[in-house]
Amino acid sequence: MPRFVQFEEFGSRDYLQVVERERPWPGPGQILVRVMAAGLNPMDIKAYRSEQAAAHMGVTLPSGIGQDFAGFVEELGEGVTGFDMGQAVLGTAPFAAIADFVVVPEDGQVITKPDPLTFEVAGSLGVVGRTAMATVRAADIHERDTVLVSAAAGGVGVLAAQLAVRSGATVIGTAGEENHEFLESLGVIPVTYGEGLAQRVRDVLDDDRVTVVLDNHGADTIEAALELGVPIERVNTIAVFGPQAQGARSVGGRAAGNAELAELADLLAENELVLPIDSIFPIERTVEAYGRLEGGHVRGKVVVVTD
């Protein structure tokens, strides 16, 4: 029977379990996708750890897990005309993606997968791709800008940093030392995160001034932005909210749609951008996969595959 990963209690990844359930069927205007790969996101961890965070995301128990998927169209619901049987697709199915099958609306967050794109990359793209596109475009980055991107080796950060580089800006990215050489290969100036970040940024920039900050890590990045004199209206965070954001913008993935996701997928398919895959786990080892993500220092994405 088809497998589905779910949790029935909040607290830790250990509550995730692989269960068997009847194969779902698409209703009118829906498509059934046979999932090949599903990418993990930090918001998944927040959902299964905290009832309060889960409620903010609209998650109730029992709940599936995972947001992003890539696979093949298995069945078409009544009235569907935009997709064909057997077509390769990628998209987002909130808290249902780590499974053998997902049902998604034809007019929802699902697009055709470019042929050159691997299922592992395609299945990792929905949340981070939309978020990277939205944050970079909202910042209105130009060649005269100097951009600081935190967590620049992570899923959102690595894409946002490359998009900023493509705009002609000077880009600095925070990461652990093990990812510095990788960031340099993308045209990003690496600096180590943590206490003293602002001074390390000054050291690598000489007389240049940081003009934009894209925060994917937390309040320490915003503190560094203020110390560097970046106008708060040119700081965007997806990591903290409320008072911790100190007035920074909070543009996220909801500000980008399928058109932006398709544009980014094409750039990846054409090798204009890269989204590294940190590690791949079979669906039976989903708990271990989330353990890898929780451990931090991930380069790109952690992926669960069904076959």
Side-chain angles (χ1 to χ4, degrees):
M1 292 182 67
R3 297 160 296 178
F4 181 78
V5 178
Q6 68 176 29
F7 61 102
E8 298 180 352
E9 295 182 61
F10 295 110
S12 80
R13 65 180 183 272
D14 294 327
Y15 291 121
L16 298 173
Q17 54 183 328
V18 181
V19 299
E20 293 184 345
R21 65 175 191 174
E22 294 292 331
R23 171 174 151 166
W25 293 95
Q30 296 179 327
I31 62 173
L32 176 71
V33 178
R34 179 184 290 273
V35 176
M36 301 297 293
L40 278 55
N41 289 293
M43 70 172 64
D44 305 345
I45 297 172
K46 294 177 181 179
Y48 64 63
R49 277 183 174 174
S50 165
E51 184 175 1
Q52 182 178 5
H56 183 71
M57 296 181 234
V59 175
T60 57
L61 298 178
S63 174
I65 196 69
Q67 314 288 318
D68 303 324
F69 68 87
F72 294 102
V73 176
E74 185 85 1
E75 296 285 348
L76 301 174
E78 181 183 353
V80 171
T81 59
F83 294 94
D84 298 318
M85 294 281 291
Q87 184 175 355
V89 296
L90 66 93
T92 303
F95 300 99
I98 303 182
D100 284 316
F101 295 97
V102 295
V103 174
V104 293
E106 175 190 21
D107 59 356
Q109 295 181 351
V110 57
I111 63 171
T112 300
K113 182 185 83 68
D115 287 340
L117 213 57
T118 68
F119 279 101
E120 289 81 9
V121 171
S124 300
L125 197 55
V127 168
V128 298
R130 286 189 175 90
T131 303
M133 289 289 280
T135 57
V136 170
R137 290 191 171 177
D140 192 26
I141 296 169
H142 300 285
E143 63 275 0
R144 63 182 178 273
D145 282 313
T146 298
V147 185
L148 173 63
V149 180
S150 62
V156 174
V158 72
L159 292 173
Q162 290 175 87
L163 289 169
V165 168
R166 283 177 61 83
S167 74
T170 299
V171 181
I172 308 144
T174 71
E177 291 186 5
E178 67 276 11
N179 283 314
H180 282 197
E181 185 176 348
F182 166 67
L183 290 181
E184 288 175 343
S185 74
L186 303 178
V188 177
I189 302 168
V191 295
T192 304
Y193 54 79
E195 187 177 352
L197 173 60
Q199 186 56 53
R200 287 192 295 278
V201 171
R202 292 191 188 100
D203 291 342
V204 300
L205 282 181
D206 296 325
D207 294 331
D208 290 338
R209 181 172 64 89
V210 176
T211 57
V212 177
V213 173
L214 304 180
D215 171 42
N216 309 297
H217 183 260
D220 56 338
T221 308
I222 297 174
E223 292 291 345
L226 295 174
E227 190 176 340
L228 290 164
V230 182
I232 196 64
E233 63 269 17
R234 298 208 78 191
V235 179
N236 191 84
T237 180
I238 62 168
V240 293
F241 304 94
Q244 282 190 305
Q246 300 192 59
R249 303 178 72 183
S250 58
V251 175
R254 292 180 181 178
N258 286 350
E260 289 83 1
L261 182 60
E263 180 181 344
L264 191 64
D266 285 339
L267 289 171
L268 286 159
E270 295 162 3
N271 295 318
E272 295 294 322
L273 301 175
V274 298
L275 178 58
I277 300 302
D278 177 272
S279 47
I280 300 172
F281 295 83
I283 192 170
E284 293 84 3
R285 293 168 57 195
T286 297
V287 171
E288 188 179 344
Y290 277 107
R292 170 64 188 140
L293 184 59
E294 287 185 19
H297 305 289
V298 171
R299 180 183 296 182
K301 297 289 291 188
V302 179
V303 182
V304 166
V305 294
T306 59
D307 187 1

Coordinates of all heavy atoms in Angstrom, one line a residue, residues 136-205:
V136 N 14.8 38.5 -3.2 CA 15.7 39.3 -4.0 C 15.0 40.4 -4.8 O 15.4 41.5 -4.9 CB 16.5 38.3 -4.9 CG1 17.3 39.1 -6.0 CG2 17.4 37.4 -4.1
R137 N 13.8 40.0 -5.3 CA 13.1 41.0 -6.1 C 12.6 42.1 -5.2 O 12.5 43.3 -5.6 CB 12.0 40.3 -6.9 CG 12.6 39.5 -8.0 CD 11.5 39.0 -9.0 NE 12.2 38.4 -10.1 CZ 11.5 37.8 -11.2 NH1 10.2 37.8 -11.2 NH2 12.2 37.3 -12.2
A138 N 12.1 41.8 -4.0 CA 11.6 42.8 -3.1 C 12.7 43.8 -2.7 O 12.4 45.0 -2.5 CB 11.0 42.2 -1.9
A139 N 13.9 43.3 -2.7 CA 15.1 44.2 -2.3 C 15.5 45.1 -3.4 O 16.3 46.0 -3.2 CB 16.2 43.3 -1.8
D140 N 15.0 44.9 -4.7 CA 15.4 45.7 -5.8 C 16.9 45.9 -5.9 O 17.4 47.0 -6.0 CB 14.7 47.1 -5.7 CG 14.7 47.9 -7.0 OD1 14.9 47.2 -8.1 OD2 14.7 49.1 -6.9
I141 N 17.6 44.8 -6.0 CA 19.1 44.8 -6.0 C 19.6 45.2 -7.4 O 19.1 44.7 -8.4 CB 19.6 43.4 -5.6 CG1 19.1 43.1 -4.1 CG2 21.1 43.3 -5.7 CD1 19.4 41.7 -3.7
H142 N 20.6 46.0 -7.4 CA 21.3 46.5 -8.6 C 22.8 46.3 -8.5 O 23.3 46.0 -7.4 CB 21.0 47.9 -8.9 CG 19.5 48.2 -9.1 ND1 18.8 47.8 -10.2 CD2 18.5 48.7 -8.3 CE1 17.5 48.1 -10.1 NE2 17.3 48.7 -8.9
E143 N 23.5 46.6 -9.6 CA 25.0 46.4 -9.6 C 25.7 47.3 -8.6 O 26.8 47.0 -8.1 CB 25.5 46.6 -11.0 CG 25.4 48.0 -11.5 CD 24.0 48.2 -12.2 OE1 23.2 47.3 -12.2 OE2 23.8 49.3 -12.7
R144 N 25.1 48.4 -8.2 CA 25.7 49.3 -7.2 C 25.6 48.8 -5.8 O 26.2 49.4 -4.9 CB 25.1 50.7 -7.4 CG 23.7 50.8 -7.0 CD 23.1 52.2 -7.2 NE 21.7 52.3 -6.9 CZ 20.7 52.0 -7.8 NH1 21.1 51.7 -9.0 NH2 19.5 52.1 -7.5
D145 N 24.8 47.8 -5.6 CA 24.5 47.3 -4.2 C 25.6 46.4 -3.7 O 26.3 45.7 -4.5 CB 23.2 46.6 -4.1 CG 22.0 47.6 -4.1 OD1 22.1 48.5 -3.3 OD2 21.1 47.3 -4.9
T146 N 25.8 46.3 -2.4 CA 26.6 45.3 -1.7 C 25.6 44.6 -0.8 O 25.0 45.2 0.1 CB 27.7 45.9 -0.9 OG1 28.6 46.6 -1.8 CG2 28.5 44.9 -0.2
V147 N 25.5 43.3 -1.0 CA 24.4 42.5 -0.3 C 25.0 41.5 0.7 O 25.9 40.8 0.3 CB 23.6 41.8 -1.4 CG1 22.4 41.1 -0.7 CG2 23.1 42.7 -2.4
L148 N 24.5 41.5 1.9 CA 24.9 40.5 2.8 C 23.7 39.5 2.9 O 22.6 39.8 3.2 CB 25.1 41.1 4.2 CG 25.3 40.2 5.4 CD1 26.6 39.4 5.2 CD2 25.4 40.9 6.7
V149 N 24.1 38.2 2.7 CA 23.1 37.1 2.7 C 23.5 36.2 3.8 O 24.6 35.6 3.8 CB 23.0 36.3 1.4 CG1 22.0 35.2 1.5 CG2 22.7 37.3 0.2
S150 N 22.7 36.0 4.8 CA 23.0 35.1 5.9 C 22.5 33.7 5.6 O 21.6 33.5 4.7 CB 22.4 35.5 7.2 OG 21.0 35.5 7.2
A151 N 23.2 32.7 6.2 CA 23.0 31.2 5.9 C 23.0 31.0 4.3 O 22.2 30.4 3.7 CB 21.6 30.8 6.4
A152 N 24.1 31.5 3.7 CA 24.2 31.6 2.3 C 24.5 30.2 1.7 O 24.5 30.1 0.4 CB 25.3 32.6 1.9
A153 N 24.7 29.2 2.4 CA 24.9 27.8 1.9 C 23.6 27.0 2.0 O 23.6 25.9 1.5 CB 26.1 27.1 2.5
G154 N 22.6 27.6 2.7 CA 21.4 26.8 2.9 C 20.5 26.9 1.7 O 20.8 27.6 0.7
G155 N 19.3 26.3 1.8 CA 18.4 26.2 0.7 C 18.0 27.6 0.1 O 18.1 27.8 -1.1
V156 N 17.5 28.5 0.9 CA 17.1 29.8 0.4 C 18.3 30.6 0.2 O 18.4 31.3 -0.9 CB 16.1 30.5 1.5 CG1 15.9 31.9 1.0 CG2 14.8 29.7 1.6
G157 N 19.2 30.6 1.1 CA 20.4 31.5 1.0 C 21.2 31.3 -0.2 O 21.7 32.2 -0.9
V158 N 21.4 30.0 -0.6 CA 22.3 29.7 -1.7 C 21.7 30.2 -3.0 O 22.4 30.7 -4.0 CB 22.7 28.2 -1.8 CG1 21.5 27.4 -2.2 CG2 23.9 28.0 -2.7
L159 N 20.4 30.1 -3.1 CA 19.7 30.6 -4.3 C 19.6 32.2 -4.3 O 19.9 32.8 -5.4 CB 18.3 30.1 -4.4 CG 18.2 28.6 -4.7 CD1 16.7 28.1 -4.6 CD2 18.8 28.2 -6.1
A160 N 19.3 32.7 -3.2 CA 19.3 34.2 -3.1 C 20.6 34.8 -3.4 O 20.7 35.9 -4.1 CB 18.8 34.6 -1.7
A161 N 21.7 34.2 -2.9 CA 23.0 34.8 -3.1 C 23.4 34.7 -4.6 O 23.9 35.7 -5.1 CB 24.0 34.0 -2.3
Q162 N 23.0 33.7 -5.3 CA 23.3 33.6 -6.7 C 22.5 34.5 -7.5 O 23.0 35.1 -8.5 CB 23.1 32.1 -7.2 CG 24.1 31.1 -6.6 CD 23.7 29.7 -7.1 OE1 24.1 29.3 -8.1 NE2 23.0 29.0 -6.2
L163 N 21.2 34.7 -7.1 CA 20.4 35.7 -7.8 C 20.9 37.1 -7.6 O 20.9 37.9 -8.6 CB 19.0 35.6 -7.3 CG 18.2 34.3 -7.7 CD1 16.9 34.2 -6.9 CD2 17.9 34.3 -9.2
A164 N 21.4 37.4 -6.5 CA 22.0 38.7 -6.2 C 23.3 38.9 -7.0 O 23.5 40.0 -7.6 CB 22.3 38.9 -4.7
V165 N 24.1 37.9 -7.1 CA 25.3 37.9 -8.0 C 24.9 38.2 -9.4 O 25.5 39.0 -10.1 CB 26.1 36.6 -7.9 CG1 27.2 36.6 -8.9 CG2 26.8 36.5 -6.5
R166 N 23.9 37.5 -9.9 CA 23.4 37.7 -11.3 C 23.0 39.2 -11.5 O 23.0 39.6 -12.7 CB 22.3 36.8 -11.6 CG 22.7 35.3 -11.9 CD 21.5 34.4 -12.1 NE 20.7 34.8 -13.3 CZ 21.0 34.5 -14.5 NH1 22.0 33.8 -14.8 NH2 20.2 34.9 -15.5
S167 N 22.5 39.8 -10.5 CA 22.1 41.2 -10.6 C 23.3 42.2 -10.8 O 23.1 43.4 -11.1 CB 21.3 41.7 -9.4 OG 22.1 41.9 -8.3
G168 N 24.5 41.7 -10.6 CA 25.7 42.5 -10.7 C 26.2 43.0 -9.3 O 27.2 43.7 -9.3
A169 N 25.5 42.7 -8.3 CA 25.9 43.3 -7.0 C 27.1 42.5 -6.4 O 27.4 41.4 -6.8 CB 24.7 43.1 -6.0
T170 N 27.8 43.2 -5.5 CA 28.8 42.5 -4.7 C 28.0 41.7 -3.6 O 27.2 42.3 -2.9 CB 29.7 43.5 -4.0 OG1 30.4 44.2 -5.1 CG2 30.7 42.8 -3.1
V171 N 28.3 40.4 -3.4 CA 27.6 39.6 -2.4 C 28.5 39.0 -1.4 O 29.5 38.4 -1.8 CB 26.8 38.5 -3.2 CG1 25.9 37.7 -2.2 CG2 25.9 39.2 -4.2
I172 N 28.1 39.2 -0.1 CA 28.8 38.5 1.0 C 27.9 37.5 1.6 O 26.7 37.8 1.8 CB 29.2 39.5 2.0 CG1 30.0 40.7 1.4 CG2 30.0 38.9 3.2 CD1 29.6 42.0 2.1
G173 N 28.4 36.3 1.9 CA 27.5 35.3 2.5 C 28.1 34.7 3.7 O 29.3 34.4 3.8
T174 N 27.2 34.6 4.7 CA 27.7 33.9 6.0 C 27.5 32.4 5.9 O 26.5 31.9 5.3 CB 26.9 34.4 7.2 OG1 25.6 34.0 7.2 CG2 26.9 36.0 7.3
A175 N 28.5 31.7 6.4 CA 28.4 30.2 6.4 C 29.6 29.7 7.3 O 30.5 30.5 7.6 CB 28.6 29.7 5.0
G176 N 29.5 28.4 7.6 CA 30.6 27.8 8.3 C 31.8 27.7 7.4 O 31.6 27.7 6.1
E177 N 32.9 27.6 7.9 CA 34.2 27.5 7.2 C 34.2 26.4 6.1 O 34.8 26.5 5.1 CB 35.4 27.4 8.1 CG 35.6 28.7 8.9 CD 36.9 28.7 9.7 OE1 37.7 27.7 9.5 OE2 37.2 29.6 10.4
E178 N 33.5 25.3 6.4 CA 33.5 24.2 5.5 C 32.8 24.5 4.2 O 32.9 23.8 3.2 CB 32.8 23.0 6.2 CG 31.3 23.1 6.4 CD 31.0 23.8 7.8 OE1 31.9 24.4 8.4 OE2 29.8 23.7 8.2
N179 N 32.0 25.6 4.2 CA 31.3 26.0 3.0 C 31.9 27.3 2.3 O 31.3 27.7 1.3 CB 29.8 26.3 3.3 CG 29.0 25.0 3.4 OD1 29.1 24.1 2.6 ND2 28.2 24.9 4.5
H180 N 33.0 27.8 2.8 CA 33.5 29.0 2.2 C 34.0 28.8 0.8 O 33.8 29.6 -0.1 CB 34.7 29.5 3.1 CG 34.2 30.2 4.4 ND1 35.0 31.0 5.1 CD2 33.0 30.2 4.9 CE1 34.3 31.5 6.1 NE2 33.1 31.0 6.1
E181 N 34.8 27.7 0.6 CA 35.3 27.5 -0.8 C 34.1 27.3 -1.8 O 34.2 27.8 -2.9 CB 36.2 26.3 -0.8 CG 36.8 26.0 -2.2 CD 37.8 24.9 -2.1 OE1 38.1 24.4 -1.0 OE2 38.2 24.4 -3.2
F182 N 33.1 26.7 -1.4 CA 31.9 26.5 -2.2 C 31.3 27.8 -2.6 O 31.0 28.1 -3.7 CB 30.9 25.6 -1.5 CG 29.5 25.6 -2.1 CD1 29.3 25.1 -3.4 CD2 28.4 26.2 -1.5 CE1 28.0 25.1 -4.0 CE2 27.2 26.2 -2.0 CZ 27.0 25.7 -3.3
L183 N 31.1 28.7 -1.6 CA 30.5 30.0 -1.9 C 31.4 30.8 -2.8 O 30.9 31.5 -3.7 CB 30.3 30.8 -0.5 CG 29.2 30.3 0.4 CD1 29.1 31.1 1.6 CD2 27.8 30.2 -0.4
E184 N 32.7 30.8 -2.6 CA 33.6 31.5 -3.5 C 33.4 31.0 -4.9 O 33.5 31.8 -5.9 CB 35.1 31.2 -3.1 CG 35.4 32.0 -1.8 CD 36.8 31.7 -1.3 OE1 37.4 30.7 -1.7 OE2 37.4 32.5 -0.5
S185 N 33.1 29.7 -5.1 CA 32.9 29.2 -6.5 C 31.7 29.8 -7.1 O 31.6 29.7 -8.4 CB 32.9 27.7 -6.5 OG 31.6 27.2 -5.9
L186 N 30.8 30.3 -6.3 CA 29.6 30.9 -6.9 C 29.7 32.5 -7.0 O 28.7 33.1 -7.4 CB 28.4 30.6 -5.9 CG 28.1 29.2 -5.6 CD1 26.9 29.1 -4.6 CD2 27.8 28.4 -6.9
G187 N 30.9 33.0 -6.7 CA 31.1 34.4 -6.8 C 30.7 35.2 -5.5 O 30.5 36.4 -5.6
V188 N 30.5 34.5 -4.4 CA 30.1 35.0 -3.2 C 31.3 35.1 -2.2 O 32.1 34.2 -2.1 CB 29.0 34.2 -2.5 CG1 28.6 34.7 -1.1 CG2 27.8 34.1 -3.4
I189 N 31.4 36.3 -1.6 CA 32.5 36.5 -0.6 C 32.1 35.9 0.7 O 31.1 36.3 1.3 CB 32.8 38.0 -0.4 CG1 33.2 38.6 -1.7 CG2 33.9 38.1 0.7 CD1 33.2 40.1 -1.6
P190 N 32.8 34.8 1.2 CA 32.3 34.1 2.4 C 32.8 34.8 3.7 O 34.0 35.3 3.8 CB 32.9 32.7 2.3 CG 34.1 32.9 1.5 CD 33.9 34.1 0.6
V191 N 32.0 34.8 4.7 CA 32.4 35.2 6.1 C 31.8 34.3 7.1 O 30.7 33.7 6.8 CB 32.0 36.7 6.4 CG1 32.8 37.7 5.6 CG2 30.5 36.9 6.4
T192 N 32.5 34.1 8.2 CA 31.9 33.2 9.2 C 30.9 33.9 10.0 O 31.0 35.1 10.3 CB 33.0 32.7 10.1 OG1 34.1 32.1 9.4 CG2 32.5 31.7 11.2
Y193 N 29.8 33.2 10.3 CA 28.7 33.8 11.1 C 29.1 33.8 12.6 O 30.1 33.3 13.0 CB 27.4 33.1 10.9 CG 27.5 31.6 11.1 CD1 27.5 31.0 12.4 CD2 27.6 30.7 10.1 CE1 27.5 29.7 12.7 CE2 27.7 29.3 10.3 CZ 27.7 28.8 11.6 OH 27.8 27.5 11.8
G194 N 28.3 34.5 13.4 CA 28.5 34.5 14.8 C 29.0 35.9 15.3 O 29.0 36.9 14.6
E195 N 29.3 35.9 16.6 CA 29.7 37.2 17.2 C 30.8 37.9 16.4 O 31.8 37.2 16.0 CB 30.2 36.9 18.7 CG 30.4 38.2 19.5 CD 30.8 37.9 20.9 OE1 30.7 36.7 21.3 OE2 31.2 38.8 21.6
G196 N 30.7 39.2 16.3 CA 31.7 39.9 15.5 C 31.5 39.9 14.0 O 32.4 40.3 13.3
L197 N 30.3 39.5 13.6 CA 30.0 39.5 12.1 C 30.2 40.8 11.4 O 30.8 40.9 10.4 CB 28.6 39.0 11.9 CG 28.0 39.0 10.5 CD1 28.9 38.1 9.6 CD2 26.6 38.5 10.4
A198 N 29.7 41.9 12.0 CA 29.8 43.2 11.4 C 31.2 43.5 11.1 O 31.6 44.0 10.0 CB 29.1 44.2 12.2
Q199 N 32.1 43.3 12.0 CA 33.5 43.6 11.8 C 34.2 42.8 10.7 O 34.9 43.2 9.9 CB 34.3 43.5 13.1 CG 35.8 44.0 13.0 CD 35.9 45.4 12.5 OE1 35.2 46.3 13.1 NE2 36.6 45.7 11.4
R200 N 33.8 41.5 10.7 CA 34.3 40.6 9.6 C 33.9 41.1 8.3 O 34.6 41.0 7.3 CB 34.0 39.2 9.9 CG 34.7 38.5 11.1 CD 34.5 37.0 11.1 NE 33.1 36.7 11.4 CZ 32.6 36.6 12.6 NH1 33.3 37.0 13.7 NH2 31.4 36.3 12.8
V201 N 32.6 41.5 8.2 CA 32.1 42.1 6.9 C 32.9 43.3 6.5 O 33.3 43.4 5.4 CB 30.6 42.4 7.0 CG1 30.2 43.1 5.8 CG2 29.8 41.1 7.2
R202 N 33.2 44.2 7.5 CA 34.0 45.4 7.2 C 35.4 45.0 6.7 O 35.9 45.6 5.7 CB 34.1 46.3 8.4 CG 32.8 46.9 8.9 CD 33.1 48.0 9.9 NE 31.9 48.5 10.5 CZ 31.4 48.1 11.7 NH1 32.0 47.2 12.4 NH2 30.3 48.6 12.2
D203 N 35.9 44.0 7.3 CA 37.3 43.6 6.9 C 37.4 43.1 5.5 O 38.4 43.3 4.8 CB 37.8 42.5 7.8 CG 38.0 42.9 9.3 OD1 38.1 44.1 9.5 OD2 38.0 42.1 10.2
V204 N 36.4 42.5 5.0 CA 36.4 41.9 3.6 C 36.0 43.0 2.6 O 36.3 42.8 1.4 CB 35.6 40.6 3.4 CG1 36.1 39.6 4.3 CG2 34.1 40.9 3.6
L205 N 35.4 44.1 3.0 CA 34.8 45.0 2.1 C 35.7 46.3 1.9 O 35.5 47.1 1.0 CB 33.5 45.5 2.5 CG 32.3 44.5 2.2 CD1 31.0 45.1 2.7 CD2 32.2 44.2 0.7

